[in-house]
Amino acid sequence: FEGAPGSSEETNNALVSADVLTITHPNLVPTITTAPANATSGDTFSVSFDTTNDGTGDVTVDWTDRVYLSTDTTFDAGDLLLASVDRAAPLAPTASLPASVDVTIPVSVSGTRFILVVSDADDVVNEVDDEDDNVDSSVVQIDLAPFADLEVSNVRAPALSVGDPLTVTDDWTPSNAGTGPGFVETRPERHVES
């Protein structure tokens, strides 16, 4: 104590500033600007998006935005990562950073899917209570690409062969029962004698 409680020495321990203290924080919000409405499995296409600081304070740390393929509009651990974009701070309030990435749809995917852009995917930017607007989505209808379904028929070989060394002539007919040629130019053929 500087003096007895209530004495004049104790009344000068507090000071109120005349300045107003403003507390600010950033808020990153992604907006998809270009994405296809239709695609075919195996396709590569561009996804363009902007990340805007919709908050009241600067973004002061670097962050990463990510593009995912999802079965719904909600980001979760089951979504497929398609691309990442590293971002450099600072980003002032109301400022935006554009990005465009090429993504490839897996050949096995078809049906209604969603392209998701997740800003600050690693959650390194302190957005206080504004973490619920870090995802934007765009629906894409994906058709299954024509695929190959190879079959073998008319296998011909001698019923019994004996010799050392032995030369055997065999024959077979390969065919494609699929809906298209598939994604490879050549296909190796092997046969096993048993």
Side-chain angles (χ1 to χ4, degrees), residues 105-173:
I105 301 298
V107 296
S108 60
V109 172
S110 64
T112 302
R113 296 292 190 272
F114 296 86
I115 301 294
L116 303 183
V117 173
V118 180
S119 63
D120 188 27
D122 296 322
D123 200 24
V124 297
V125 177
N126 184 0
E127 299 180 61
V128 188
D129 294 328
D130 288 329
E131 295 288 350
D132 60 348
D133 57 1
N134 286 13
V135 178
D136 194 23
S137 65
S138 179
V139 66
V140 58
Q141 182 62 41
I142 302 171
D143 296 326
L144 190 61
F147 60 92
D149 183 7
L150 302 180
E151 297 178 345
V152 175
S153 60
N154 301 322
V155 177
R156 293 178 296 278
L160 177 65
S161 300
V162 177
D164 185 15
L166 175 64
T167 300
V168 175
T169 301
D170 54 9
D171 191 28
W172 62 90
T173 303

Coordinates of all heavy atoms in Angstrom, one line a residue, residues 105-173:
I105 N -10.5 -34.9 -62.1 CA -11.5 -35.8 -61.4 C -11.0 -37.2 -61.6 O -10.6 -37.7 -62.7 CB -12.8 -35.6 -62.1 CG1 -13.3 -34.2 -62.0 CG2 -13.9 -36.6 -61.5 CD1 -13.5 -33.7 -60.6
P106 N -11.0 -38.0 -60.5 CA -10.6 -39.4 -60.6 C -11.5 -40.2 -61.6 O -12.7 -39.9 -61.8 CB -10.8 -40.0 -59.2 CG -10.7 -38.8 -58.3 CD -11.3 -37.7 -59.1
V107 N -11.0 -41.2 -62.3 CA -11.7 -41.9 -63.4 C -12.9 -42.7 -62.8 O -13.8 -43.1 -63.5 CB -10.8 -42.8 -64.2 CG1 -9.8 -41.9 -65.0 CG2 -10.1 -43.8 -63.4
S108 N -12.8 -43.0 -61.5 CA -13.8 -43.9 -60.9 C -15.0 -43.1 -60.4 O -16.0 -43.7 -59.9 CB -13.2 -44.7 -59.8 OG -12.7 -43.8 -58.8
V109 N -15.0 -41.8 -60.4 CA -16.0 -40.9 -59.8 C -17.1 -40.6 -60.8 O -16.8 -40.2 -61.9 CB -15.4 -39.7 -59.2 CG1 -16.5 -38.7 -58.7 CG2 -14.5 -40.0 -58.1
S110 N -18.4 -40.7 -60.4 CA -19.5 -40.2 -61.2 C -20.6 -39.8 -60.3 O -20.7 -40.2 -59.2 CB -19.9 -41.3 -62.2 OG -20.4 -42.4 -61.5
G111 N -21.6 -39.1 -60.9 CA -22.8 -38.6 -60.2 C -22.6 -37.2 -59.8 O -21.8 -36.5 -60.2
T112 N -23.5 -36.8 -58.9 CA -23.5 -35.4 -58.4 C -22.5 -35.2 -57.3 O -22.5 -35.9 -56.4 CB -24.9 -35.0 -57.9 OG1 -25.9 -35.2 -58.9 CG2 -25.0 -33.6 -57.4
R113 N -21.6 -34.3 -57.6 CA -20.5 -34.0 -56.6 C -20.4 -32.5 -56.4 O -21.1 -31.7 -57.2 CB -19.2 -34.5 -57.1 CG -19.1 -36.0 -57.2 CD -19.1 -36.7 -55.8 NE -18.8 -38.1 -55.9 CZ -19.7 -39.1 -56.1 NH1 -21.0 -38.8 -56.3 NH2 -19.3 -40.3 -56.1
F114 N -19.6 -32.1 -55.5 CA -19.5 -30.6 -55.2 C -18.0 -30.3 -55.1 O -17.2 -31.0 -54.5 CB -20.1 -30.3 -53.8 CG -21.6 -30.5 -53.9 CD1 -22.2 -31.7 -53.5 CD2 -22.4 -29.4 -54.2 CE1 -23.5 -31.9 -53.6 CE2 -23.8 -29.6 -54.2 CZ -24.4 -30.8 -53.9
I115 N -17.6 -29.2 -55.8 CA -16.3 -28.6 -55.7 C -16.4 -27.7 -54.4 O -17.2 -26.9 -54.3 CB -15.9 -27.8 -56.9 CG1 -15.9 -28.6 -58.2 CG2 -14.6 -27.1 -56.7 CD1 -14.9 -29.7 -58.2
L116 N -15.5 -28.0 -53.5 CA -15.4 -27.2 -52.3 C -14.1 -26.4 -52.3 O -13.0 -26.9 -52.6 CB -15.4 -28.0 -51.0 CG -16.6 -28.9 -50.8 CD1 -16.5 -29.6 -49.4 CD2 -17.9 -28.2 -50.9
V117 N -14.2 -25.1 -51.9 CA -13.0 -24.3 -51.7 C -13.0 -24.0 -50.2 O -14.0 -23.4 -49.7 CB -12.9 -23.0 -52.5 CG1 -11.8 -22.2 -52.1 CG2 -12.8 -23.4 -54.0
V118 N -11.9 -24.4 -49.5 CA -11.8 -24.2 -48.1 C -10.7 -23.2 -47.8 O -9.5 -23.4 -48.1 CB -11.5 -25.5 -47.3 CG1 -11.4 -25.2 -45.8 CG2 -12.6 -26.5 -47.6
S119 N -11.0 -22.0 -47.3 CA -10.0 -21.0 -47.0 C -9.4 -21.3 -45.7 O -10.1 -21.8 -44.8 CB -10.6 -19.5 -47.1 OG -11.6 -19.4 -46.1
D120 N -8.1 -20.9 -45.5 CA -7.4 -21.2 -44.3 C -7.7 -22.6 -43.8 O -8.1 -22.9 -42.7 CB -7.8 -20.2 -43.2 CG -7.0 -20.3 -41.9 OD1 -5.8 -20.7 -42.0 OD2 -7.5 -20.0 -40.8
A121 N -7.4 -23.6 -44.7 CA -7.7 -25.0 -44.4 C -7.0 -25.6 -43.2 O -7.5 -26.5 -42.6 CB -7.4 -25.8 -45.7
D122 N -5.8 -25.0 -42.9 CA -5.1 -25.5 -41.7 C -5.4 -24.7 -40.4 O -4.8 -24.9 -39.4 CB -3.6 -25.4 -42.0 CG -3.2 -26.3 -43.1 OD1 -3.7 -27.4 -43.2 OD2 -2.3 -25.9 -43.9
D123 N -6.4 -23.7 -40.5 CA -6.8 -23.0 -39.4 C -5.7 -22.3 -38.6 O -5.6 -22.3 -37.4 CB -7.6 -23.9 -38.4 CG -8.5 -23.2 -37.5 OD1 -8.9 -22.0 -37.8 OD2 -8.8 -23.7 -36.4
V124 N -4.9 -21.5 -39.4 CA -3.8 -20.8 -38.8 C -4.1 -19.3 -38.6 O -3.5 -18.6 -37.8 CB -2.5 -20.9 -39.6 CG1 -2.0 -22.3 -39.7 CG2 -2.7 -20.3 -41.0
V125 N -5.2 -18.8 -39.3 CA -5.6 -17.4 -39.1 C -6.7 -17.4 -38.0 O -7.7 -18.1 -38.0 CB -6.2 -16.9 -40.4 CG1 -6.7 -15.5 -40.2 CG2 -5.2 -16.9 -41.5
N126 N -6.4 -16.5 -37.0 CA -7.4 -16.4 -35.9 C -8.5 -15.5 -36.3 O -8.4 -14.3 -36.4 CB -6.7 -15.8 -34.7 CG -7.6 -15.7 -33.5 OD1 -8.8 -16.1 -33.5 ND2 -7.1 -15.3 -32.3
E127 N -9.7 -16.2 -36.7 CA -10.8 -15.5 -37.1 C -11.9 -15.3 -36.0 O -13.0 -15.0 -36.3 CB -11.4 -16.2 -38.4 CG -10.4 -16.3 -39.5 CD -11.0 -17.0 -40.7 OE1 -12.0 -16.5 -41.3 OE2 -10.4 -18.0 -41.1
V128 N -11.5 -15.5 -34.8 CA -12.4 -15.4 -33.6 C -13.6 -16.3 -33.8 O -13.6 -17.5 -33.9 CB -12.6 -13.9 -33.3 CG1 -13.4 -13.8 -32.0 CG2 -11.3 -13.1 -33.2
D129 N -14.8 -15.6 -34.0 CA -16.0 -16.4 -34.1 C -16.5 -16.5 -35.6 O -17.7 -16.8 -35.8 CB -17.2 -15.7 -33.3 CG -16.9 -15.8 -31.8 OD1 -16.3 -16.8 -31.4 OD2 -17.3 -14.9 -31.1
D130 N -15.6 -16.2 -36.5 CA -16.0 -16.2 -37.9 C -15.5 -17.4 -38.7 O -15.1 -17.3 -39.9 CB -15.6 -14.9 -38.6 CG -16.4 -13.7 -38.1 OD1 -17.6 -13.9 -37.8 OD2 -15.9 -12.6 -38.1
E131 N -15.4 -18.5 -38.1 CA -14.9 -19.7 -38.8 C -15.9 -20.5 -39.6 O -15.6 -21.4 -40.3 CB -14.2 -20.7 -37.7 CG -13.0 -20.1 -37.0 CD -11.8 -20.1 -37.9 OE1 -11.8 -20.6 -39.0 OE2 -10.8 -19.4 -37.5
D132 N -17.2 -20.1 -39.5 CA -18.2 -20.8 -40.1 C -18.5 -20.4 -41.6 O -19.4 -21.0 -42.2 CB -19.5 -20.7 -39.3 CG -20.0 -19.3 -39.2 OD1 -19.2 -18.4 -39.5 OD2 -21.2 -19.1 -38.7
D133 N -17.7 -19.5 -42.1 CA -17.9 -19.1 -43.5 C -16.6 -19.3 -44.4 O -16.4 -18.6 -45.3 CB -18.3 -17.6 -43.6 CG -17.4 -16.7 -42.9 OD1 -16.3 -17.1 -42.4 OD2 -17.7 -15.5 -42.9
N134 N -15.9 -20.4 -44.0 CA -14.6 -20.6 -44.7 C -14.7 -21.6 -45.9 O -13.7 -22.0 -46.4 CB -13.6 -21.2 -43.7 CG -13.0 -20.1 -42.8 OD1 -13.6 -19.0 -42.7 ND2 -12.0 -20.4 -42.1
V135 N -16.0 -22.0 -46.2 CA -16.2 -22.9 -47.3 C -17.2 -22.4 -48.3 O -18.2 -21.9 -47.9 CB -16.7 -24.3 -46.8 CG1 -17.0 -25.3 -47.9 CG2 -15.8 -24.9 -45.8
D136 N -16.8 -22.5 -49.6 CA -17.8 -22.2 -50.7 C -17.9 -23.5 -51.5 O -16.9 -24.3 -51.6 CB -17.4 -21.0 -51.5 CG -18.5 -20.5 -52.4 OD1 -19.7 -20.8 -52.1 OD2 -18.2 -19.9 -53.5
S137 N -19.1 -23.7 -52.2 CA -19.3 -24.9 -52.9 C -19.9 -24.6 -54.3 O -20.6 -23.6 -54.5 CB -20.1 -25.9 -52.2 OG -21.4 -25.4 -52.0
S138 N -19.7 -25.5 -55.2 CA -20.2 -25.4 -56.6 C -20.6 -26.9 -57.0 O -19.7 -27.7 -57.0 CB -19.3 -24.8 -57.5 OG -19.8 -24.7 -58.8
V139 N -21.8 -27.1 -57.4 CA -22.2 -28.4 -57.8 C -21.7 -28.8 -59.2 O -21.6 -27.9 -60.1 CB -23.8 -28.6 -57.8 CG1 -24.4 -27.7 -58.8 CG2 -24.2 -30.0 -57.9
V140 N -21.3 -30.0 -59.4 CA -20.8 -30.5 -60.7 C -21.4 -31.9 -60.9 O -21.3 -32.8 -60.1 CB -19.3 -30.5 -60.8 CG1 -18.6 -31.4 -59.7 CG2 -18.8 -31.0 -62.2
Q141 N -22.0 -32.1 -62.1 CA -22.5 -33.4 -62.5 C -21.4 -34.1 -63.3 O -21.0 -33.7 -64.3 CB -23.8 -33.3 -63.3 CG -24.4 -34.6 -63.7 CD -24.9 -35.4 -62.5 OE1 -25.4 -34.8 -61.6 NE2 -24.7 -36.7 -62.5
I142 N -21.0 -35.3 -62.8 CA -19.9 -36.0 -63.4 C -20.4 -37.3 -64.1 O -21.0 -38.1 -63.4 CB -18.8 -36.4 -62.4 CG1 -18.3 -35.1 -61.7 CG2 -17.7 -37.1 -63.0 CD1 -17.4 -35.3 -60.5
D143 N -20.2 -37.4 -65.4 CA -20.5 -38.6 -66.1 C -19.3 -39.5 -66.1 O -18.2 -39.1 -66.2 CB -20.9 -38.2 -67.6 CG -22.2 -37.4 -67.7 OD1 -23.1 -37.6 -66.8 OD2 -22.2 -36.5 -68.5
L144 N -19.6 -40.8 -66.0 CA -18.6 -41.8 -66.1 C -18.0 -41.9 -67.5 O -18.7 -42.0 -68.5 CB -19.1 -43.2 -65.7 CG -18.1 -44.3 -65.4 CD1 -17.1 -43.9 -64.3 CD2 -18.8 -45.6 -65.1
A145 N -16.7 -41.8 -67.6 CA -16.0 -41.8 -68.8 C -16.1 -43.2 -69.4 O -16.3 -44.2 -68.7 CB -14.5 -41.5 -68.7
P146 N -16.1 -43.3 -70.8 CA -16.1 -44.6 -71.4 C -14.9 -45.5 -70.9 O -13.8 -44.9 -70.7 CB -15.9 -44.3 -72.9 CG -16.4 -42.9 -73.0 CD -16.1 -42.2 -71.8
F147 N -15.2 -46.7 -70.6 CA -14.1 -47.5 -70.0 C -14.0 -48.9 -70.7 O -14.9 -49.3 -71.4 CB -14.5 -47.8 -68.5 CG -15.8 -48.6 -68.3 CD1 -15.8 -50.0 -68.2 CD2 -17.0 -47.9 -68.2 CE1 -17.0 -50.6 -68.1 CE2 -18.2 -48.6 -68.0 CZ -18.2 -49.9 -68.0
A148 N -12.8 -49.4 -70.6 CA -12.5 -50.7 -71.2 C -12.8 -51.8 -70.2 O -12.7 -51.7 -69.0 CB -11.0 -50.8 -71.6
D149 N -13.3 -52.9 -70.7 CA -13.6 -54.2 -69.9 C -13.1 -55.3 -70.8 O -13.8 -55.8 -71.6 CB -15.0 -54.3 -69.6 CG -15.3 -55.5 -68.7 OD1 -14.3 -56.2 -68.3 OD2 -16.5 -55.8 -68.5
L150 N -11.8 -55.7 -70.6 CA -11.2 -56.6 -71.5 C -11.5 -58.1 -71.1 O -11.5 -58.4 -69.9 CB -9.7 -56.5 -71.5 CG -9.2 -55.1 -71.9 CD1 -7.7 -55.0 -71.8 CD2 -9.7 -54.7 -73.3
E151 N -11.8 -58.9 -72.2 CA -12.1 -60.3 -72.0 C -11.3 -61.1 -72.9 O -10.8 -60.6 -74.0 CB -13.6 -60.5 -72.3 CG -14.6 -59.8 -71.4 CD -16.0 -60.1 -71.8 OE1 -16.3 -60.5 -72.9 OE2 -16.9 -59.8 -70.9
V152 N -11.1 -62.4 -72.6 CA -10.4 -63.3 -73.4 C -11.3 -64.5 -73.8 O -12.0 -65.0 -72.9 CB -9.1 -63.8 -72.7 CG1 -8.4 -64.9 -73.5 CG2 -8.2 -62.7 -72.4
S153 N -11.3 -64.8 -75.0 CA -12.2 -66.0 -75.5 C -11.4 -66.8 -76.5 O -10.3 -66.4 -76.9 CB -13.5 -65.5 -76.0 OG -13.3 -64.7 -77.1
N154 N -12.0 -67.9 -76.9 CA -11.4 -68.8 -77.9 C -9.9 -69.2 -77.6 O -9.1 -69.1 -78.5 CB -11.5 -68.1 -79.3 CG -12.9 -67.8 -79.7 OD1 -13.8 -68.6 -79.4 ND2 -13.1 -66.7 -80.3
V155 N -9.7 -69.5 -76.4 CA -8.3 -70.0 -76.0 C -8.1 -71.3 -76.6 O -8.9 -72.3 -76.4 CB -8.1 -70.0 -74.5 CG1 -6.8 -70.5 -74.1 CG2 -8.4 -68.6 -73.9
R156 N -7.0 -71.5 -77.4 CA -6.7 -72.7 -78.1 C -5.2 -73.1 -77.8 O -4.3 -72.2 -78.0 CB -6.9 -72.6 -79.6 CG -8.3 -72.4 -80.0 CD -8.5 -72.3 -81.5 NE -7.9 -71.0 -82.0 CZ -8.5 -69.8 -82.0 NH1 -9.6 -69.7 -81.5 NH2 -7.8 -68.8 -82.5
A157 N -5.0 -74.3 -77.3 CA -3.7 -74.8 -77.0 C -3.8 -76.4 -77.1 O -4.8 -77.0 -76.9 CB -3.2 -74.4 -75.7
P158 N -2.6 -77.0 -77.3 CA -2.7 -78.5 -77.3 C -3.1 -79.1 -76.0 O -2.8 -78.5 -74.9 CB -1.2 -78.9 -77.6 CG -0.5 -77.7 -78.1 CD -1.3 -76.5 -77.6
A159 N -3.9 -80.1 -76.0 CA -4.4 -80.8 -74.8 C -3.2 -81.4 -74.0 O -3.2 -81.4 -72.8 CB -5.4 -81.8 -75.1
L160 N -2.2 -81.9 -74.7 CA -1.1 -82.5 -74.0 C 0.2 -82.3 -74.8 O 0.2 -82.4 -76.0 CB -1.3 -84.0 -73.9 CG -0.2 -84.8 -73.2 CD1 0.0 -84.4 -71.8 CD2 -0.4 -86.3 -73.3
S161 N 1.2 -81.8 -74.1 CA 2.5 -81.6 -74.8 C 3.6 -82.1 -74.0 O 3.6 -81.9 -72.7 CB 2.7 -80.1 -75.0 OG 1.7 -79.5 -75.8
V162 N 4.6 -82.8 -74.6 CA 5.7 -83.4 -73.9 C 7.0 -83.1 -74.7 O 7.0 -83.2 -75.9 CB 5.6 -84.9 -73.7 CG1 6.8 -85.5 -73.0 CG2 4.3 -85.3 -73.0
G163 N 8.0 -82.7 -74.0 CA 9.3 -82.5 -74.7 C 10.2 -81.7 -73.8 O 9.8 -81.0 -72.8
D164 N 11.5 -81.7 -74.1 CA 12.5 -80.9 -73.3 C 13.6 -80.6 -74.3 O 14.4 -81.4 -74.7 CB 13.0 -81.8 -72.2 CG 14.0 -80.9 -71.3 OD1 13.9 -79.7 -71.4 OD2 14.7 -81.5 -70.5
P165 N 13.6 -79.4 -74.8 CA 12.7 -78.3 -74.6 C 11.4 -78.5 -75.4 O 11.4 -79.3 -76.3 CB 13.5 -77.1 -75.1 CG 14.4 -77.6 -76.2 CD 14.7 -79.0 -75.7
L166 N 10.5 -77.7 -75.1 CA 9.1 -77.9 -75.6 C 8.7 -76.5 -76.3 O 8.8 -75.5 -75.7 CB 8.1 -78.3 -74.6 CG 6.7 -78.4 -75.0 CD1 6.5 -79.5 -76.0 CD2 5.8 -78.6 -73.8
T167 N 8.2 -76.6 -77.5 CA 7.6 -75.4 -78.1 C 6.2 -75.7 -78.3 O 5.8 -76.7 -78.8 CB 8.3 -75.2 -79.5 OG1 9.7 -75.0 -79.3 CG2 7.7 -74.0 -80.2
V168 N 5.4 -74.8 -77.8 CA 3.9 -74.9 -77.9 C 3.3 -73.7 -78.6 O 3.8 -72.6 -78.3 CB 3.3 -75.0 -76.4 CG1 1.8 -75.0 -76.5 CG2 3.8 -76.2 -75.7
T169 N 2.4 -73.9 -79.4 CA 1.7 -72.8 -80.1 C 0.3 -72.7 -79.5 O -0.4 -73.7 -79.5 CB 1.6 -73.1 -81.6 OG1 2.9 -73.2 -82.1 CG2 0.9 -71.9 -82.3
D170 N 0.0 -71.5 -79.0 CA -1.4 -71.3 -78.5 C -1.9 -70.0 -79.1 O -1.2 -69.3 -79.7 CB -1.4 -71.3 -76.9 CG -0.4 -70.3 -76.3 OD1 0.2 -69.5 -77.1 OD2 -0.2 -70.3 -75.1
D171 N -3.2 -69.8 -78.8 CA -3.9 -68.7 -79.5 C -5.1 -68.3 -78.6 O -5.7 -69.2 -77.9 CB -4.4 -69.1 -80.9 CG -4.9 -67.9 -81.7 OD1 -4.4 -66.8 -81.4 OD2 -5.7 -68.1 -82.6
W172 N -5.5 -67.1 -78.6 CA -6.6 -66.6 -77.9 C -7.2 -65.3 -78.6 O -6.5 -64.7 -79.4 CB -6.3 -66.3 -76.4 CG -5.3 -65.2 -76.2 CD1 -5.5 -63.9 -76.1 CD2 -3.9 -65.4 -76.1 NE1 -4.3 -63.2 -75.9 CE2 -3.3 -64.1 -76.0 CE3 -3.1 -66.5 -76.2 CZ2 -1.9 -64.0 -75.8 CZ3 -1.7 -66.4 -76.1 CH2 -1.2 -65.1 -75.9
T173 N -8.4 -64.9 -78.3 CA -9.0 -63.8 -78.9 C -9.3 -62.8 -77.8 O -10.2 -63.0 -76.9 CB -10.3 -64.1 -79.6 OG1 -10.0 -65.1 -80.6 CG2 -10.9 -62.9 -80.3

